[in-house]
Amino acid sequence: MGPLLTASCGLLLAALSLVPTRLSDSSSPVPNVPNIAAYFGTKSRYEEVNPNLLRDFVNQTVLRPPPGESCSPVHVTAVIRHGTRYPTLKNIRRIHNLSALVRTEGSDGSGWLRDLRRTRWEDVYPEHMDGQLAEKGRKDLRLLALRLSSLFPSLLSEENMRTRRLRLLSSSKPRCVGSVEAFQDGLLQLHGRRHVPPEYVQQVDDGLMRFFERCRGYVDGVEKNRTALIEVVKFKHGDEMEALRRRTAEILGVPLHRLTPDLVEAAFFLCSYELSIRSVLSPWCFLFDESDAKVLEYKSDLKQFWKRFHGHRINSMSSCPLFHHVFRTLDKAGRPRRATEAAPEPASILVGHAETLLPLLSLLGLYKDPTPPTASNYQSQHGRSFRSSRIVPYAANLLFVLYDCQRGPRLQLLMNETPVRFPDLPDDTPLYRDVRAAYRHLLDGCDFHRECEGRAEGRGPNTEL
Ligand SMILES: *[C@@H]1O[C@H](CO)[C@@H](O)[C@H](O)[C@H]1NC(C)=O
Ligand SMILES: *[C@@H]1O[C@H](CO)[C@@H](O)[C@H](O)[C@H]1NC(C)=O
Ligand SMILES: *[C@@H]1O[C@H](CO)[C@@H](O)[C@H](O)[C@H]1NC(C)=O
């Protein structure tokens, strides 16, 4: 752990806010990172997306109020995905099947192939770990909190945390609750070595963070509907995946018909879990080269695109409750107030899933490519902007930063600590009223009941569940 982390950070970070700040602990082993790690989709490490993290820097230049206009940040809303986690049950079972297959039917081999065959992967990834937050995942959120408090020293301060001025919401899933607690540990400068257990103050709100499972139009129309995800099914059995399956079966020396596309994917994900959870370079990583990884990433992207993103309108509309919640919070924080009135809520921290972030990003109109990805256009999609590896790695975060400026409130979006622009708005940090005008149709509509149940509930458009 670096010396800065043990010092009284509030003051120190404020003092250092204009220079790059070293934040990460140096205790963890740094593995050889395979070049296929850039293609792990939602199983990517945040480090792969945000290289500043590897360089220990907080890059202050990402905050972009217009030059020449005096501005100060007054509120930040952060929608954050939980940190690094263990595989969920479905993938654990695939790992067990794959492990049994290579052990009983694979060729003996030497080197990494022998290591791969002789390990009991069932014991490394037992079923009871199902979706649990890994220790690395706690660290992801702790360090994110430290970086954000260094970017916004007056908002995400230890004092605001201690005096309970921050709003903290989480999905009910233990990996999200653990993540929002680790975020609080970060702000309180507790590094997992607790003397007194801190009093965590988050609230659980699945209506906001797991809206997708409550939207019937979404569940019936997309999630459970094989036709809605047909491009994924087609690609899974298409030429690119078939060629990859044949190559992989040959290297492992297993009968081709026993190695299903799901098991090929399980082998790829094993490389990702070993790197992200255990910080080791797994023998599984040697099975794939970069072009194989691109095929497998595309398969994941197809699934995310059609299941959670622009693929179907209802995917994005299911996030209306969260959209309205965010804008109501920003409205309140940006409202003109007299000097005697209490300062606005400095920050709102909302911790959920990739499934929470993707529909919201889709609703905001981000990462929209000219042609949608399908099973048949893999070759023309190499330059696509929608890459889940870049957008929703573990601890992915979307920040809405509200500034108080001379000409009125302004809003900036940051995705994974990098500026992104609102579609159709020319500046990094447009006037808040221009953002509201751009989303007028959603602010006045986007009714969860109408979209999800096909009926209006009569409580007005801003109904929050
Ligand atoms: C900081 O971010 C800007 C873009 O926002 C980039 O141009 C610059 O290279 C970054 N600096 C470092 C040290 O990473
Ligand atoms: C694992 O293998 C068994 C037996 O072949 C099969 O019934 C089951 O569906 C497989 N499970 C997964 C998740 O692949
Ligand atoms: C399933 O998806 C297809 C394609 O998007 C759509 O036409 C159909 O109406 C959906 N079925 C249901 C039951 O919603």
Side-chain angles (χ1 to χ4, degrees):
M1 200 154 288
L4 281 186
L5 291 180
T6 50
S8 167
C9 262
L11 271 180
L12 196 54
L13 291 178
L16 289 175
S17 65
L18 292 176
V19 296
T21 312
R22 297 182 68 86
L23 289 173
S24 76
D25 9 357
S26 46
S27 56
S28 49
V30 179
N32 291 318
V33 178
N35 54 5
I36 63 173
Y39 305 99
F40 287 151
T42 59
K43 292 166 181 64
S44 298
R45 302 188 311 166
Y46 193 74
E47 294 91 310
E48 257 62 68
V49 175
N50 193 331
N52 285 319
L53 216 149
L54 293 175
R55 290 198 296 261
D56 287 7
F57 286 143
V58 173
N59 190 340
Q60 302 285 342
T61 67
V62 298
L63 298 184
R64 308 255 174 88
E69 191 175 339
S70 155
C71 295
S72 56
V74 287
H75 172 89
V76 58
T77 283
V79 186
I80 305 175
R81 184 189 181 204
H82 58 75
T84 304
R85 63 154 168 82
Y86 280 85
T88 49
L89 199 54
K90 184 182 76 179
N91 281 311
I92 290 179
R93 291 194 170 138
R94 285 177 184 164
I95 288 171
H96 294 188
N97 278 10
L98 177 67
S99 183
L101 178 63
V102 296
R103 204 170 39 242
T104 55
E105 300 188 42
S107 55
D108 201 24
S110 58
W112 60 267
L113 206 47
R114 196 179 51 203
D115 296 342
L116 185 156
R117 278 199 72 210
R118 294 196 175 168
T119 306
R120 283 194 56 92
W121 300 98
E122 296 87 335
D123 300 339
V124 185
Y125 296 97
E127 290 197 358
H128 71 262
M129 299 310 280
D130 175 22
Q132 279 186 36
L133 188 65
E135 193 44 48
K136 169 63 165 55
R138 277 178 229 286
K139 185 169 146 189
D140 292 339
L141 271 285
R142 217 158 52 226
L143 294 178
L144 177 65
L146 281 175
R147 290 195 306 280
L148 295 185
S149 76
S150 139
L151 261 187
F152 306 105
S154 63
L155 304 179
L156 284 164
S157 62
E158 182 173 4
E159 193 195 332
N160 281 343
M161 182 66 228
R162 289 198 188 282
T163 54
R164 306 198 167 181
R165 297 197 59 230
L166 309 180
R167 189 198 311 229
L168 296 136
L169 293 184
S170 168
S171 134
S172 62
K173 291 280 170 179
R175 57 181 170 274
C176 296
V177 174
S179 293
V180 77
E181 291 180 352
F183 192 91
Q184 293 167 77
D185 288 347
L187 292 181
L188 294 170
Q189 316 302 332
L190 302 166
H191 312 294
R193 287 173 298 173
R194 292 173 201 137
H195 301 295
V196 187
E199 208 180 314
Y200 296 119
V201 295
Q202 78 275 355
Q203 291 180 323
V204 162
D205 191 334
D206 281 347
L208 283 181
M209 304 319 290
R210 296 181 60 81
F211 49 77
F212 43 89
E213 66 189 7
R214 303 183 174 203
C215 179
R216 203 178 54 191
Y218 168 73
V219 172
D220 294 346
V222 178
E223 197 165 55
K224 293 187 190 161
N225 179 354
R226 212 176 135 87
T227 319
L229 304 177
I230 192 70
E231 296 301 329
V232 187
V233 180
K234 281 189 192 160
F235 190 76
K236 198 159 132 175
H237 301 285
D239 294 345
E240 288 89 358
M241 280 296 290
E242 273 303 294
L244 176 54
R245 194 168 70 87
R246 272 196 303 278
R247 275 198 304 280
T248 311
E250 201 167 306
I251 299 173
L252 291 173
V254 297
L256 181 60
H257 73 276
R258 299 276 279 127
L259 190 75
T260 62
D262 287 342
L263 292 187
V264 174
E265 193 174 59
F268 184 59
F269 287 166
L270 259 169
C271 167
S272 87
Y273 298 132
E274 294 277 278
L275 180 68
S276 63
I277 299 170
R278 307 204 306 144
S279 290
V280 299
L281 179 60
S282 173
W284 293 101
C285 304
F286 297 101
L287 260 184
F288 304 102
D289 66 18
E290 200 167 344
S291 67
D292 301 334
K294 286 181 180 173
V295 170
L296 288 160
E297 181 197 40
Y298 192 71
K299 192 211 155 244
S300 290
D301 283 3
L302 277 179
K303 177 172 153 203
Q304 300 301 333
F305 183 88
W306 293 98
K307 196 168 174 185
R308 307 284 175 184
F309 210 57
H310 296 314
H312 300 286
R313 183 176 172 276
I314 189 68
N315 299 355
S316 62
M317 299 310 276
S318 67
S319 73
C320 289
L322 180 57
F323 174 87
H324 286 303
H325 175 88
V326 168
F327 275 86
R328 249 199 317 276
T329 305
L330 295 170
D331 285 350
K332 262 189 235 160
R335 211 176 47 201
R337 65 193 73 232
R338 282 189 290 275
T340 53
E341 279 182 279
E345 180 178 80
S348 174
I349 306 299
L350 312 170
V351 178
H353 307 263
E355 295 87 339
T356 313
L357 268 166
L358 287 173
L360 180 65
L361 292 166
S362 170
L363 191 64
L364 292 170
L366 298 169
Y367 307 106
K368 208 165 206 163
D369 293 305
T371 18
T374 65
S376 55
N377 67 5
Y378 173 67
Q379 290 305 338
S380 66
Q381 288 285 331
H382 292 308
R384 69 191 182 279
S385 73
F386 180 67
R387 281 189 55 207
S388 53
S389 306
R390 311 296 303 172
I391 303 170
V392 275
Y394 299 119
N397 53 89
L398 172 66
L399 306 185
F400 298 81
V401 183
L402 191 72
Y403 300 85
D404 187 17
C405 299
Q406 281 164 319
R407 292 179 55 206
R410 290 181 177 273
L411 188 67
Q412 185 186 356
L413 275 187
L414 295 161
M415 189 68 213
N416 299 330
E417 300 169 72
T418 301
V420 284
R421 289 190 173 176
F422 293 98
D424 309 325
L425 288 174
D427 310 313
D428 282 321
T429 310
L431 287 166
Y432 182 55
R433 63 165 182 269
D434 293 342
V435 177
R436 283 195 55 108
Y439 292 121
R440 173 57 55 202
H441 60 295
L442 294 174
L443 290 165
D444 290 345
C446 204
D447 179 70
F448 184 79
H449 293 282
R450 184 175 305 133
E451 301 299 337
C452 293
E453 306 283 337
R455 64 188 163 81
E457 191 78 329
R459 279 200 281 157
N462 281 4
T463 305
E464 188 179 358
L465 289 178

